[in-house]
Structure formats: C-alpha cells, structure tokens
Amino acid sequence: MSRVRKTLFLPGFLGALAAGWLSPNPAASAMNYDLLLRQGTIYDGSGHAPFVGDVAINQDVIVAVGQLAEAHGRKEIDVTGLAVSPGFINMLSWATESLLHDGRSQSGIRQGVTLEVMGEGESMGPLNAKMKRDLLSQQGDLKYKVNWTTLGEYLDELVRRGVSCNVASFVGATTVRIHEIGHADRPPSPAELERMKSLVRQAMEEGALGVGSALIYAPAFYAKTDELIALCTVAAESGGVYISHLRSEGNRFLEALDELLAIARQAHIPAEIYHLKAAGESNWNKLEAAIGKIEAARTKGLRVTADMYTYTAGATGLDAAMPPWVQEGGYPEWARRLKDPAIRQRVKREMITPTDQWESLYLAAGSPDKVLLIGFKNPKLKPLTGKTLAEVARLRRKSPEETAMDLVVEDGSRVDTVYFMMSEENVRKEIRLPWVSFGSDAASLAPVGPFLKSNPHPRAYGNFARLLGKYVRDEKVIPLEEAIRRLTLLPAENLKLDRRGALKAGGFADIVVFDPAKIQDHATFDQPHQYASGVRHVFVNGVQVLKEGRHTGAKPGRVVRGPGWKR
C-alpha cells in the first residue's frame, strides 16, 4: 500500500472530510497507484468549468486529482478527449426486482449510473407474512425468492447476490401502511400509527434515506396529510428526506404541491418531488406557478428539490386510469369488483368524467390512442404488447374503458402502461432548473431473457444518455458541467451521502468516462430494448464494470446508507 493510501486513514482524515474531503496532494505526483486515468477532461461534479488532468485511485478511493505526470499506476488508461465525471445517481429507480434477476444493471451501467435509488412509495421492506406471500404470488416474468423481511435485509440480499451498481432506498410510506392496515381506506388507529412510526425508525437505522410516497395510487391515496407528517417527523430525527410522487400532477397539481410543502415544514424535513411535471394539456400552464411556489419556499429556507425524466410520457399501470375506491382491498378485490356489471358502469362513467377527486392519467393523456400497453403478466395477452388501448379496443369491439377493465381482470395485474401527457417545452424548462436532478423511474434491464417479454418505457435504457446527448450537446439547454453536477453532486448532497457525487481525493471511486460527442440514447417506444452508446468506462468502488463499452461482469456494488444508519 502506498504512502498516500495510508494517509487516508490517519486520525486527521475525518477532519479533512468534514472540511470538504481531502485536497489533492501536491506531493502525490511521484507516487504509485492502483489505477490512473490519464489526461481526461475532468468534470468534478461541482458545476465548475472542466480541466484536463489525471485521476488516481487506490483500492476503492480517489486519492489524487490533477496533474500527476510523475505518478505511476499499476494500471493506466488513456482517456484523452473523453469526459471523466463522478458516477451518475439515479434518483428514481425501479430496479428492485430486475437486480434480483440480473445484478449487472446493464441499462444503467451503460449510461454511467453507479447508484440506483429505490423506494417510490413502495419499498422491498419491511414485510410481514402476508406481504411476503403477496410478493410471491404477484410476480410476473421475473421470479425470485423472498429471503428477507426488513428493508435493510433486502439491500444486503442484493449485495450478497452481487450487483454491479451501488444501491440505496427510501422506506415506502405505502409499505408501512400495508404492513399495519393492509389496503383499507381508513386512517390508522393511534396504536397502528405508532407501529408504522416504529417501522420507519427501524428502516432509518438500517440506512434508509428517508420516507417515500406515491399518493395517486391506492392504498397510498387513502393516507391523509397528518399520517405522512407523523412518518416524516420520525425520518427527520435521523436526518432523512421526504420524497413524493405528489397527490396530483394534473388538475390539483398546485394544491398537491402545497401539501408537500406543509409536510416539509411541519415535519422539519427536506423534501423532494418525484418526476416534476404538469400532466395533461390543460395543466401544462401550471408549471410556472409550481416553480414559483418551490422557489419561494427555498428562498425562505425550506430545502425543496425535485427530479425528472427526460420524456413527455410517463409509465405506470391501468390502475392510474381507474378511481381509487374500486381498488380498495388490493388487486383481488379490485378484479372482483370489475366483474360486477353495476360497478363496471360506475367505473366507466368515472373514467371519462373530469374530476379533481382523484388523478386520472387516462384523462390526462386525452385519448386512448395515447395510452400504450407495454407489459402483461398473462402469456395469452403478451401479443398485445406495444399496442395502444384504442387499438385493442377496436380489435375487441368494445369501448376503451371496458377494454381496460377487461385487461386488468384477464391479466391478473394492473397492466404496465405508458401515458403520453406532458409538454416538450416544459421538459426543457425543468431541465434548466438548478435544483432538479434526474431519475429513470424504471428498472435496470438488458435485452435478454425474461426482460424481452415486456416493452419498458425507453427511459430504462436512455434517460441519462438522452439528457447528455439530446438536451446538452445537441440542443444546448444547459452546459455539460451543469448537467453533470445535477447527475452527481446535487443528488448526493440532497441525500447526505458519504463521499459520493464528486471527483475529490477521499471520495469513493464511482467514476464514468464517456465521449460527449457520441453519447446517445437509442431506445424508442417501438423498440425500447436498445442500449445507449458513448459511455466508455465505468468504475464502481474502484472496480471496472464497463470497459470500452462492454460490461466486465464485475459486481462490486454496495449498499449506500442514509445518515441515520446505526452500524
């Protein structure tokens, strides 16, 4: 071990971290290192102008950044003309199941993603016995054993199996609600709420980043604001964050934003908005007012941030096309009700009636031609993958609303669905906001095996490359150094991550090397299983997982834990 490596663990190291990690060592230029990245254009995550230099790594730590001409590396890689940056942080990942099947995280790694952050409303723990049974019975193309109970145990299970990326998670507000009161439309009793708070406290001690909610979906829809404040107050005690899919991104967008701000103020907790957007053409003009509310709150000292994906379509299920009342009790009760002719008539009527009482993505899309069916559980329905709801309705000679209800019953699931409902102009506005980071809102996939049995939203393969190619290089919406800050240091600081998100001595060696002139997304809605291109090398905890654009098979990923973690 070199002298420089030894200095990292001297007593003064923690003090140096508190002052901003370690400064590059001017005497380090003559040292020997495990790895040297030579003469890349370094974007350190700060948003400052890049510079040409070297990055030195020993084991899993960056030990020097700068001009290291006299240094030697056991391994050296010439990255002249390429961008070298911290690994990208996916603020909204649904790789919860895909990583259990394939830990290589191919679609993410090939875009430079080194940390997948999960937990939008639902998390993979804590689980009770019934939740474990449901998790097994509801599995689709991906099959796995449930060998864990708590959220911390799930994250440890991923690492035990082997993952190429780092992993982290919020604890789901929906998950702790189901744990205690199931799928019922009622508030928790005082005793139930205390148990829910205890579950959040335990998850925070296991390293959860905070509390995540997704309030348009049943049973999360049934939770009142005071319930969320109670859970967030517990998370705040451990330095956590509240992150939310707002109760509305459409007709009551501004009111839903007010709820998030109220929760943040009353629980004394930083808050983040999942996939910031104004959904539905009649609501597109509300984005400016929403931005004004957020920036006013930030000016008053409330830490409010957001993330986004770089597309005008969202993806979820047909549950987002039907009223929450019909879904009370979970999928079995939902499907049972949809077989009742009287209930079907009521659901059909409510599906086509504008309302402020619940969030209808079917109406936000504006037409069944803008509702794309992308994933089925039932093999007999898989030939419908890639067709619109309107097309399937015509094939079946039924209304789109009746067809949607039939598909939910026949498939044994909510049916994975894309809704085209946002404005391209608004996407660009959101990208320009300095407090917005990025998340795919998708799994991390590969074009092999069971992954090919469904059509994901192309954001699974292209969200980050699309930002850097289309919006940064081609359209110049923001400079590259700012885009990298928003992919790295901004989310790391928001989540209070330890030594992640910047190319600085003392930080963990999560690094991406890419060609700014060639980085490009290729996935489309018609052909989504296409890798992005232009990323050359990726290192996770100092281990190379992508070499000249090809996956090495290495799985050095770790659990990245929040500030409440009790070791």
Side-chain angles (χ1 to χ4, degrees):
M1 186 181 288
S2 71
R3 266 179 29 203
V4 173
R5 175 65 178 171
K6 288 178 182 176
T7 62
L8 291 177
F9 296 95
L10 290 174
F13 177 54
L14 294 178
L17 286 178
W21 302 354
L22 295 177
S23 299
N25 184 352
S29 59
M31 296 298 165
N32 295 319
Y33 302 102
D34 292 340
L35 173 65
L36 271 172
L37 301 178
R38 288 286 195 190
Q39 291 301 288
T41 304
I42 295 172
Y43 295 81
D44 63 8
S46 67
H48 297 152
F51 59 92
V52 174
D54 308 318
V55 179
I57 299 166
N58 276 340
Q59 296 186 28
D60 60 351
V61 176
I62 299 167
V63 289
V65 179
Q67 299 300 324
L68 308 174
E70 303 301 317
H72 302 282
R74 187 170 58 84
K75 178 180 180 181
E76 297 191 5
I77 302 176
D78 183 357
V79 292
T80 303
L82 301 176
V84 182
S85 90
F88 302 154
I89 296 173
N90 183 358
M91 274 298 296
L92 176 46
S93 171
W94 277 107
T96 44
E97 294 183 318
S98 63
L99 289 177
L100 289 167
H101 176 76
D102 183 353
R104 293 174 298 171
S105 192
Q106 290 258 34
S107 64
I109 290 292
R110 289 170 183 262
Q111 294 183 80
V113 174
T114 59
L115 173 59
E116 301 279 352
V117 180
M118 300 171 277
E120 185 199 0
E122 297 185 11
S123 54
M124 294 296 266
L127 305 176
N128 59 29
K130 183 180 185 305
M131 294 168 78
K132 288 185 180 184
R133 292 193 298 271
D134 289 346
L135 200 53
L136 288 169
S137 67
Q138 293 166 6
Q139 289 174 12
D141 297 327
L142 303 183
K143 309 294 185 184
Y144 53 88
K145 295 180 179 179
V146 182
N147 298 322
W148 66 88
T149 298
T150 71
L151 179 57
E153 289 169 352
Y154 162 75
L155 294 170
D156 289 337
E157 173 72 6
L158 285 180
V159 172
R160 186 191 68 78
R161 288 172 177 244
V163 285
S164 297
C165 55
N166 295 315
V167 291
S169 184
F170 290 85
V171 61
T174 309
T175 301
V176 299
R177 175 175 243 273
I178 293 172
H179 192 284
E180 292 305 313
I181 64 174
H183 293 259
D185 182 2
R186 65 171 177 85
S189 69
E192 288 167 339
L193 184 59
E194 285 303 312
R195 292 197 295 271
M196 291 165 66
K197 289 162 64 176
S198 294
L199 291 171
V200 170
R201 186 172 293 109
Q202 178 184 354
M204 295 301 296
E205 292 175 355
E206 292 177 334
L209 301 171
V211 171
S213 70
L215 300 175
I216 76 165
Y217 304 107
F221 176 86
Y222 311 141
K224 305 302 182 187
T225 306
D226 58 352
E227 175 183 323
L228 298 167
I229 291 170
L231 301 183
C232 287
T233 300
V234 173
E237 293 169 359
S238 299
V241 175
Y242 174 55
I243 188 166
S244 180
H245 178 153
L246 298 177
R247 204 175 291 273
S248 172
E249 298 168 329
N251 293 349
R252 293 185 62 80
F253 180 22
L254 300 180
E255 293 86 350
L257 178 54
D258 286 338
E259 180 186 35
L260 175 125
L261 297 177
I263 292 168
R265 289 190 188 100
Q266 293 183 51
H268 304 288
I269 193 169
E272 172 137 332
I273 302 157
Y274 272 133
H275 42 59
L276 178 66
K277 68 170 85 71
E281 187 170 359
S282 63
N283 297 307
W284 290 351
N285 62 358
K286 295 179 180 177
L287 182 64
E288 287 293 342
I291 293 169
K293 280 180 178 284
I294 295 166
E295 294 190 333
R298 286 170 57 85
T299 299
K300 293 178 181 178
L302 198 64
R303 185 161 183 94
V304 185
T305 53
D307 53 68
M308 65 174 293
Y309 47 78
T310 53
Y311 297 82
T312 58
T316 179
L318 287 176
D319 52 337
M322 300 183 201
W325 64 262
V326 77
Q327 300 172 52
E328 184 180 3
Y331 175 79
E333 288 300 304
W334 179 21
R336 181 188 63 78
R337 291 188 187 103
L338 291 182
K339 296 175 185 178
D340 182 314
I343 291 177
R344 286 174 67 92
Q345 285 302 311
R346 179 182 170 188
V347 171
K348 179 180 178 181
R349 183 170 63 251
E350 293 189 18
M351 285 179 69
I352 60 176
T353 303
T355 180
D356 291 341
Q357 300 305 306
W358 59 281
E359 186 89 332
S360 171
L361 300 194
Y362 178 62
L363 291 178
S367 163
D369 290 303
K370 295 180 180 179
V371 178
L372 187 67
L373 305 171
I374 62 171
F376 294 93
K377 183 178 176 180
N378 184 344
K380 294 181 180 179
L381 296 179
K382 286 187 179 294
L384 301 179
T385 303
K387 296 185 183 296
T388 67
L389 181 59
E391 288 176 301
V392 177
R394 286 194 290 271
L395 286 171
R396 294 185 166 209
R397 298 182 179 180
K398 287 190 173 183
S399 73
E401 299 77 31
E402 292 171 314
T403 301
M405 288 184 274
D406 288 343
L407 292 175
V408 167
V409 172
E410 293 170 29
D411 196 53
S413 85
R414 68 177 191 161
V415 181
D416 293 337
T417 311
V418 165
Y419 297 89
F420 293 85
M421 55 188 178
M422 279 87 77
S423 154
E424 180 66 33
E425 179 185 355
N426 279 354
V427 169
R428 293 188 180 91
K429 286 180 182 177
E430 292 156 11
I431 289 173
R432 293 188 185 99
L433 296 169
W435 36 266
V436 169
S437 55
F438 298 89
S440 69
D441 199 358
S444 191
L445 308 173
V448 295
F451 293 138
L452 290 173
K453 294 182 178 181
S454 297
N455 276 8
H457 190 301
R459 63 195 180 190
Y461 286 87
N463 188 63
F464 304 93
R466 183 175 175 84
L467 169 70
L468 297 175
K470 173 180 171 62
Y471 291 107
V472 173
R473 180 191 61 234
D474 299 342
E475 299 186 7
K476 297 179 173 53
V477 175
I478 55 173
L480 180 55
E481 56 265 33
E482 171 64 3
I484 289 175
R485 181 187 74 84
R486 309 250 299 280
L487 288 166
T488 59
L489 189 59
L490 175 65
E493 289 180 338
N494 290 344
L495 299 175
K496 303 175 185 176
L497 303 184
D498 180 29
R499 292 185 286 157
R500 307 277 177 183
L503 291 185
K504 293 174 66 174
F508 288 107
D510 299 337
I511 299 172
V512 56
V513 179
F514 66 96
D515 187 339
K518 294 183 178 179
I519 193 164
Q520 187 69 48
D521 65 302
H522 300 287
T524 65
F525 289 98
D526 290 335
Q527 295 183 310
H529 288 287
Q530 299 189 78
Y531 287 132
S533 59
V535 175
R536 296 278 290 277
H537 307 288
V538 176
F539 301 85
V540 176
N541 300 312
V543 177
Q544 191 162 16
V545 296
L546 197 74
K547 180 179 181 180
E548 295 295 349
R550 302 178 73 88
H551 204 292
T552 67
K555 296 177 179 178
R558 299 174 183 169
V559 180
V560 174
R561 304 184 195 270
W565 180 40
K566 291 192 175 179
R567 294 166 173 80

